Amino acid sequence: MTTRVLVVGAGPVGLTAACQLARLGVDVRVVEKLAAPTTESRAVGVHARSLEMFAALGVLPRLEARGRRIAALQMSDGRTGHLRARMDLADVPTRHPYVLDVAQPDTEAVLTERATELGVSIERGVALTGLTQDTLGVDVTFSDGRTDRVGWVVGADGGHSAVRRLVGEQLHGSFQGQHFAMADVDIDTSLSRDLIHMFTHPDGMAMVFPLAGHRARLMFLVDGTDPAGPTMEQIQALAETRMGGRVQAHHPRWLTYFEVHHAQVSSYRHGRVFLAGDAAHVHSPAGAQGMNTGVQDAANLAWKLALVVRGVADEALLDTYQAERHPVGAAVVRQTTVLTDLGAATGLLGLLRDAVYFVAGHSRRVAAAAATRMAEITIGYPRGPLGVQRGGALPAGEHCPDPAELRDADGTPVSVESLLARPGFLLLTRNRSAQLRLGEIGTVIVLDSATDPLGLGDGMALVRPDGYLGLVSATADQEVVDGYLAAKIGDVAPASVRRPSALAG
Ligand SMILES: Cc1cc2nc3c(=O)[nH]c(=O)nc-3n(C[C@H](O)[C@H](O)[C@H](O)COP(=O)(O)OP(=O)(O)OC[C@H]3O[C@@H](n4cnc5c(N)ncnc54)[C@H](O)[C@@H]3O)c2cc1C
């Protein structure tokens, strides 16, 4: 039987899953329904947690070259221009304290390029149409009549997922929400292009997301939609009214209406089939969480699936994908619902919202906390199934911090993010004499013994391939590592007797 993984959908989530699986040594095939890449610039805001992951994947410089760094979010009164609140991103604890505004087709192009470098086969113009599974594999059918038997399927085929339907799963939630008019245009403006601008207005909120060059995404809350879509005249009229004449739009690329839905599936795993990204959860674009949540689903799933496919881990590890990511998706659906309802509030509730934003936006501490949450930096699995704390200062289950002062054993500056470019686990320690080993599943990194910005002491921290802390221990002890791997990753041979690494790079 083949152990190959089929990824359905070459959107940002499917491509991330394919790249992560391939760099962990798995044979991956991607099928994509569209014959040519989409030009629809849907997700434009890439947050810090995703930027960290893209840096480790080796694609961040390419993404940055196509996008624009955003320093802050600013909320103003659309009629007077008076500032109501500002959320600076500089205080977010990350090596990337900004939002990268980049159009989704650019993100997909960069990920496609990386996937190809990693040897992933991407077949365009091929849709998955059928799927049945047994305990050993999955039989799949494609729109061109071909069939295949694969080991595992990752359904990253978006909000109208065929994979979701074929496994008998469905989205549960609300399918009647607010309507937005959206325009991907060039703009002339007196507004700073380094900020995302949100305008409050009695007719409804409006937003500007500056992209590279003169390009920008404009969004307006509207009462209803027209199947013919908004015209440039309507978009300009909305901008005149709600942005106080500060934005002149031209060169339309994509004008559309969309309705907000908030929903999630019950189960992210159906035997040998997984759901990720919009196939598993849909919600409003408030806070730009959709693609970001999806690419992190992919990063969470990929390393677990890679270890199982390669016969290194027990299949039970795959259940932790649901345990860790379903609650994150549920929280995103809840939070974006509240944010969208607040944004749409009018009358007394609207005034109350403006007052709360004013107070919150003028407290640096509150604004920094909100920015850190929006950047998805607070996401962790502290009570999850894979965190084990045996003393030590770092919190098991949380993402590994990446302090600027980190140095390797030679005293050379280094980052956790760059270390994670090596596929597999990282075992961080300052203790040279412990002689730790990870065998084929990762790399032991001995850090500078003269400094300790991570608070490792004499102990160690096992960082998962997705950057989260698995084991944290006050002592650097091989038996503790082997015990953790046997208990949490599966019934595997101790790291001390495994072959050296054969990961893809
Ligand atoms: C207006 C708007 C603005 C948004 N802004 C943001 C933002 O700023 N930040 C953010 O994080 N998110 C944002 N989102 C959400 C974001 O676009 C989605 O969350 C993201 O695209 C999900 O990625 P995905 O890969 O899961 O799905 P998709 O991007 O939908 O990709 C799925 C792919 O699967 C393919 N496919 C479908 N069926 C099949 C099949 N049967 N066989 C093979 N292939 C198939 C599709 O053609 C598609 O290419 C926005 C969404 C909208 C509508």
Side-chain angles (χ1 to χ4, degrees):
M1 192 209 75
T2 177
T3 53
R4 199 171 53 186
V5 176
L6 175 71
V7 173
V8 185
V13 176
L15 290 167
T16 301
C19 287
Q20 296 288 12
L21 283 159
R23 69 197 280 268
L24 290 163
V26 175
D27 174 24
V28 196
R29 173 183 178 194
V30 181
V31 289
E32 164 56 53
K33 182 167 77 174
L34 297 178
T38 177
T39 55
E40 295 180 357
S41 60
R42 289 186 296 153
V44 293
V46 186
H47 288 308
R49 180 59 22 99
S50 307
L51 296 171
E52 295 168 354
M53 191 262 288
F54 286 140
L57 192 56
V59 297
L60 189 55
R62 294 181 235 183
L63 270 185
E64 296 249 11
R66 291 170 179 250
R68 177 186 289 280
R69 287 188 183 193
I70 300 295
L73 271 71
Q74 191 161 285
M75 185 192 283
S76 316
D77 184 314
R79 292 162 301 182
T80 62
H82 288 151
L83 180 68
R84 288 196 189 282
R86 183 178 160 112
M87 196 163 86
D88 274 298
L89 298 165
D91 294 331
V92 176
T94 170
R95 291 195 180 236
H96 307 284
Y98 52 90
V99 173
L100 184 68
D101 269 4
V102 55
Q104 190 168 320
D106 284 306
T107 304
E108 292 181 12
V110 166
L111 289 171
T112 300
E113 196 177 275
R114 184 72 180 119
T116 308
E117 287 165 10
L118 288 162
V120 175
S121 128
I122 303 174
E123 292 171 67
R124 289 202 156 270
V126 179
L128 179 101
T129 52
L131 177 157
T132 53
Q133 59 175 314
D134 53 47
T135 51
L136 295 178
V138 190
D139 292 304
V140 287
T141 313
F142 301 112
S143 50
D144 56 10
R146 285 180 300 158
T147 59
D148 197 1
R149 182 165 172 83
V150 300
W152 306 87
V153 172
V154 177
D157 50 343
H160 301 287
S161 170
V163 176
R164 186 175 68 220
R165 177 176 46 79
L166 290 165
V167 294
E169 182 58 90
Q170 56 184 3
L171 289 166
H172 306 279
S174 141
F175 300 95
Q176 282 188 326
Q178 295 87 351
H179 294 90
F180 287 84
M182 214 204 68
D184 178 351
V185 287
D186 282 351
I187 58 169
D188 295 325
T189 182
S190 55
L191 300 170
S192 164
R193 290 184 188 266
D194 299 330
L195 307 176
I196 290 173
H197 299 271
M198 184 172 169
F199 297 96
T200 55
H201 191 277
D203 294 352
M205 63 189 259
M207 296 188 80
V208 183
F209 297 82
L211 292 157
H214 288 279
R215 190 173 178 181
R217 146 79 52 80
L218 308 181
M219 265 170 58
F220 306 91
L221 180 71
V222 291
D223 286 336
T225 63
D226 171 354
T231 61
M232 266 307 267
E233 290 67 33
Q234 287 166 329
I235 292 292
Q236 187 57 47
L238 285 164
E240 288 295 328
T241 312
R242 301 198 195 171
M243 298 173 178
R246 294 177 196 84
V247 173
Q248 296 297 318
H250 50 96
H251 286 97
R253 289 179 189 79
W254 186 41
L255 307 180
T256 189
Y257 287 113
F258 68 92
E259 182 180 357
V260 168
H261 296 164
H262 292 106
Q264 190 187 24
V265 297
S266 312
S267 179
Y268 283 20
R269 180 182 180 191
H270 289 260
R272 292 179 163 266
V273 181
F274 303 89
L275 298 171
D278 278 18
H281 43 77
V282 292
H283 39 82
S284 106
Q289 304 290 296
M291 179 183 72
N292 288 281
T293 306
V295 296
Q296 287 165 55
D297 290 344
N300 183 289
L301 173 62
W303 70 266
K304 298 170 180 175
L305 189 51
L307 289 185
V308 171
V309 168
R310 288 169 46 210
V312 180
D314 195 283
E315 271 190 37
L317 178 62
L318 298 172
D319 290 330
T320 67
Y321 171 56
Q322 163 85 10
E324 292 187 336
R325 294 305 298 174
H326 193 276
V328 172
V332 169
V333 171
R334 275 196 309 275
Q335 287 156 12
T336 53
T337 305
V338 170
L339 274 180
T340 314
D341 289 348
L342 270 181
T346 52
L348 209 55
L349 200 56
L351 289 174
L352 188 64
R353 168 205 60 207
D354 294 348
V356 170
Y357 282 167
F358 181 83
V359 174
H362 284 76
S363 153
R364 187 164 178 172
R365 203 169 53 84
V366 175
T372 304
R373 179 174 277 274
M374 188 190 70
E376 305 194 348
I377 292 296
T378 53
I379 289 174
Y381 318 114
R383 285 174 293 283
L386 294 178
V388 170
Q389 190 88 41
R390 295 181 58 119
L394 287 170
E398 300 288 3
H399 200 271
C400 186
D402 197 358
E405 305 77 22
L406 203 66
R407 299 190 184 281
D408 67 13
D410 303 326
T412 309
V414 69
S415 63
V416 171
E417 175 181 290
S418 61
L419 294 171
L420 281 168
R422 303 161 196 236
F425 286 84
L426 297 176
L427 186 53
L428 305 179
T429 184
R430 296 163 61 241
N431 187 335
R432 271 174 201 272
S433 56
Q435 301 286 318
L436 299 171
R437 294 169 302 283
L438 273 184
E440 69 181 300
I441 65 160
T443 316
V444 177
I445 304 289
V446 180
L447 295 168
D448 183 22
S449 56
T451 57
D452 190 14
L454 278 175
L456 287 171
D458 291 332
M460 60 184 176
L462 184 66
V463 185
R464 308 172 355 174
D466 58 1
Y468 288 83
L469 291 159
L471 166 70
V472 176
S473 168
T475 58
D477 183 341
Q478 186 67 41
E479 263 182 41
V480 175
V481 179
D482 289 345
Y484 173 84
L485 293 174
K488 296 296 179 184
I489 306 304
D491 188 12
V492 291
S496 44
V497 299
R498 276 199 223 107
R499 294 192 313 277
S501 174
L503 301 170

